[in-house]
Amino acid sequence: MKIELTPKQKQGREAFRAFAEQEIIPYADQWDESEQISRDLIEKMALQGYLGAVLPERSGGMGLDMITCGLLNEEVGRACSSVRSLLTVHGMVSLVLQRWGSPEQKEVWLPQLASGARIAAFGLTEANVGSDAKSVETTATPSGNSYLLNGRKKWITFGQIADVFLIFAQSEGKPTAFLVERKTPGLVINPIRGMLGVRASMLAELRLEDCCIPASNLVGQVNFGFSHVAATALDYGRYSVAWGCVGIGQACVEACLRYTNVRRQFGAYLREHQLVQQMLTEMITNVKAARLLCYQAGYLKDVRDPGAITETSIAKYFASRTAFKAANDAVQIHGANGCSSEYKVQRYLRDAKIMEIIEGSTQMQQINIARYTCQEEMLDGPAAR
Amino acid sequence: MDEQKIKIRTFLSKHLRNHDLSDEADIFGLGFVNSLFAMQLVMFVEREFGITIENEDLDIENFRSVNAIVKLVDKKAATLAEA
């Protein structure tokens, strides 16, 4: 066993960090305030190939292994969770099409998603349906060689600008996924503003009123929308969010190390006060532990181990709690300054709270990890040990 | 064929808590299959037999029993050999 990045992975991490330092960090607070990221940034990320990170080179993607892909999410997440959430949802739909798309869907969509020419968003959540995702109320009624989609989707990340949505609906009571293009008649998109965190992720509510979707836009098969299509997307979503949380935690560590090195109280630097040291130690240790869990999940994904799904849930659970705790302590260490928009830690805290809710809330993970582990205890494989 | 069956039966049996599984037993009918296991089964079959489960293979009949999975694996392996 060897836990060390390859030279190529290290090189990737350095490039991602340099990009984030130059193109994201200087603007992240501004985007948080204006509740949108710039088109210019999306184009720059597309040019770097980041929007095709999860796709193979034959589809025009970067063909990254899952560890390197995770490092991209950490470095972008360290800079701005809203930008990271674009990588998450765009990657979720890209991976689903790569995994379960028809040959025609792959041919049409993968190169466009890989290049960033088109942006994709994930449309599962509804006003009445969050954790209980199987119970979506949107319907897809067969009509000749098409389906008529009716319903509403809420909190759709980057819904304001996405060109195509992966929409989940009940087709005669069977969960089914469809690609719905933005230009589809009957699709109305309303921006959602004023969120607590990840404020620049350009959320939208979608209304589908008799949207006529060709049967060729059905992704996977009827009745496999949840068990295979959504499951594939959410597994990657959890992985991306977990790494993004490591990024938030790392940003908190760095902010606190800087601050405690210059701020003095009672005649000593904050870093010399033991109760501050306690918070720093917790933060540093938990962030490292979260990163190791992400490495483990990434490794299992790369070797296609069936245990990867549970390990990813564990990584997401721990990393999101760590990010929130780290950001909470980071604000505490910064005192009044930490509550001010002049310091980034207040943004980290607001963003970190969202991480405990999306892609399976902390409570859903608490239920599922125990259940999954009971289920897997009989199975052989690295995840069982 | 027998080796395939043993591997599949071992994987399924462990998941089904050593339920005595015949080659024709309907694993969905036994009521143990949830969405986590559905994806784990796909990953297991792909890794163990070096095949890729695709859109067109998403048919519950392909995963219903040990024999059904063997049949799917054979079909996919034959397609792979022809390519």
Side-chain angles (χ1 to χ4, degrees):
Chain A
M1 184 178 187
K2 188 175 174 185
I3 303 177
E4 186 183 5
L5 297 177
T6 65
K8 203 175 165 191
Q9 288 167 338
K10 283 181 191 167
Q11 206 178 1
R13 184 177 61 186
E14 281 164 24
F16 305 148
R17 179 165 285 220
F19 180 87
E21 292 276 355
Q22 189 175 335
E23 306 291 352
I24 304 179
I25 291 177
Y27 313 103
D29 289 328
Q30 186 185 318
W31 295 331
D32 176 68
E33 197 179 332
S34 64
E35 301 189 47
Q36 57 184 336
I37 62 171
S38 71
R39 279 277 180 185
D40 185 45
L41 172 77
I42 298 175
E43 281 167 24
K44 284 176 178 167
M45 291 212 297
L47 273 176
Q48 295 294 322
Y50 296 165
L51 295 174
V54 298
L55 291 174
E57 286 174 302
R58 66 174 181 277
S59 302
M62 292 180 85
L64 299 182
D65 62 80
M66 288 309 283
I67 298 288
T68 310
C69 192
L71 297 171
L72 172 63
N73 281 276
E74 177 184 344
E75 293 303 336
V76 173
R78 171 178 165 268
C80 174
S81 292
S82 294
V83 178
R84 195 270 311 138
S85 70
L86 174 62
L87 292 180
T88 303
V89 295
H90 188 76
M92 287 163 79
V93 179
S94 301
L95 260 188
V96 157
L97 288 176
Q98 165 69 22
R99 190 76 176 77
W100 302 120
S102 66
E104 296 73 26
Q105 288 167 350
K106 289 182 187 182
E107 195 184 326
V108 170
W109 287 103
L110 293 185
Q112 298 190 73
L113 297 180
S115 69
R118 310 286 286 275
I119 298 297
F122 185 70
L124 177 63
T125 308
E126 300 178 353
N128 295 329
V129 178
S131 296
D132 185 12
K134 273 183 193 162
S135 303
V136 291
E137 294 170 352
T138 299
T139 57
T141 310
S143 170
N145 204 25
S146 303
Y147 287 84
L148 288 177
L149 265 62
N150 282 285
R152 286 186 187 188
K153 296 291 174 181
K154 202 166 182 186
W155 320 118
I156 305 307
T157 299
F158 284 97
Q160 290 179 32
I161 59 165
D163 301 294
V164 63
F165 298 90
L166 184 66
I167 297 290
F168 293 83
Q170 305 283 358
S171 181
E172 298 174 318
K174 296 170 180 170
T176 307
F178 297 88
L179 279 178
V180 176
E181 293 194 55
R182 186 180 192 89
K183 63 185 181 191
T184 306
L187 174 61
V188 179
I189 299 171
N190 293 313
I192 299 174
R193 297 199 173 89
M195 298 300 286
L196 170 72
V198 203
R199 285 164 56 86
S201 60
M202 305 181 82
L203 300 186
E205 180 178 31
L206 316 182
R207 286 187 187 196
L208 301 108
E209 291 171 3
D210 281 335
C211 288
C212 185
I213 308 300
S216 57
N217 279 22
L218 194 156
V219 180
Q221 301 290 342
V222 172
N223 210 19
F224 285 82
F226 192 78
S227 61
H228 292 71
V229 179
T232 298
L234 291 169
D235 177 52
Y236 176 71
R238 286 189 284 272
Y239 186 68
S240 170
V241 168
W243 274 107
C245 289
V246 173
I248 294 174
Q250 182 63 34
C252 290
V253 168
E254 292 171 22
C256 290
L257 291 178
R258 272 194 306 271
Y259 189 78
T260 58
N261 215 29
V262 294
R263 173 83 171 172
R264 291 172 69 93
Q265 291 291 286
F266 302 104
Y269 289 112
L270 291 192
R271 64 178 153 81
E272 292 162 4
H273 292 280
Q274 288 188 333
L275 291 178
V276 172
Q277 289 169 352
Q278 183 195 34
M279 284 190 274
L280 285 174
T281 297
E282 283 288 305
M283 201 183 291
I284 293 163
T285 307
N286 284 331
V287 170
K288 282 179 180 283
R291 189 180 286 111
L292 284 171
L293 287 173
C294 287
Y295 281 146
Q296 167 78 349
Y299 167 74
L300 291 174
K301 283 184 187 304
D302 277 334
V303 300
R304 296 180 165 275
D305 190 297
I309 301 169
T310 303
E311 289 301 301
T312 301
S313 284
I314 292 171
K316 192 272 172 184
Y317 171 61
F318 187 81
S320 59
R321 296 189 82 185
T322 291
F324 184 71
K325 173 81 165 57
N328 197 28
D329 284 349
V331 169
Q332 190 70 19
I333 287 170
H334 282 69
N337 283 326
C339 302
S340 148
S341 59
E342 288 173 26
Y343 284 79
K344 294 181 189 301
V345 287
Q346 49 79 30
R347 171 163 58 86
Y348 301 155
L349 179 59
R350 290 185 286 104
D351 290 349
K353 184 64 242 175
I354 309 300
M355 300 306 118
E356 281 209 86
I357 294 168
I358 59 171
E359 259 69 359
S361 67
T362 288
Q363 289 66 35
M364 288 309 297
Q365 306 300 346
Q366 284 170 335
I367 293 168
N368 287 335
I369 290 165
R371 191 183 287 167
Y372 292 171
T373 306
C374 290
Q375 181 175 311
E376 283 174 350
E377 76 179 306
M378 303 281 196
L379 298 177
D380 292 326
R385 289 188 287 273
Chain B
M1 173 73 94
D2 284 347
E3 199 185 332
Q4 284 179 343
K5 273 190 183 174
I6 291 166
K7 285 177 177 171
I8 294 166
R9 200 185 298 126
T10 305
F11 183 82
L12 293 176
S13 296
K14 283 178 176 171
H15 173 71
L16 303 178
R17 307 203 179 258
N18 291 325
H19 193 284
D20 190 17
L21 198 65
S22 75
D23 291 346
E24 281 297 338
D26 179 348
I27 62 167
F28 296 99
L30 290 170
F32 289 105
V33 178
N34 56 24
S35 62
L36 171 71
F37 185 69
M39 275 306 294
Q40 284 180 326
L41 182 55
V42 168
M43 293 172 79
F44 162 75
V45 167
E46 288 186 333
R47 188 161 99 138
E48 195 63 49
F49 303 109
I51 59 170
T52 303
I53 304 297
E54 294 166 294
N55 174 314
E56 63 195 15
D57 306 313
L58 287 181
D59 181 338
I60 209 155
E61 296 306 324
N62 283 333
F63 299 95
R64 193 175 282 287
S65 65
V66 173
N67 280 345
I69 297 168
V70 169
K71 198 173 149 193
L72 172 69
V73 169
D74 284 346
K75 189 182 86 178
K76 299 296 292 184
T79 312
L80 211 60
E82 282 168 19

